[in-house]
Amino acid sequence: SYAGSYGLSIQSSPGSSEQVVSLKANTTYVFGAYARVANNGEHVLLGVKNHGATQVTQAISSTAFRRDSIIFR
């Protein structure tokens, strides 16, 4: 289940949010998030880019909060 005090709401389409963080080389990371869409047929893309390898994305199209994650190195 999901419980939390902070969140991000994007009200227009297309919309985006980005966070830049520092990473250590040769280290495996997991980027995870809870996300949902307002309407059936929409999707949210979680993604990791500019980490020294190919950009990785994961689509979420559920209208209920769902946790998904991306493992990258």
Side-chain angles (χ1 to χ4, degrees):
S1 71
Y2 170 77
S5 300
Y6 301 97
L8 171 70
S9 177
I10 299 174
Q11 298 295 320
S12 62
S13 179
S16 68
S17 177
E18 189 172 296
Q19 182 176 9
V20 178
V21 297
S22 297
L23 303 175
K24 294 181 181 179
N26 301 315
T27 303
T28 300
Y29 292 91
V30 178
F31 165 62
Y34 285 91
R36 71 176 180 92
V37 297
N39 302 300
N40 287 323
E42 297 177 336
H43 67 274
V44 173
L45 279 181
L46 304 178
V48 178
K49 65 181 184 178
N50 300 329
H51 59 94
T54 303
Q55 179 174 321
V56 183
T57 59
Q58 179 66 42
I60 295 177
S61 57
S62 173
T63 56
F65 277 106
R66 186 180 119 198
R67 178 166 170 47
D68 217 325
S69 58
I70 297 171
I71 298 171
F72 66 99
R73 188 172 174 99

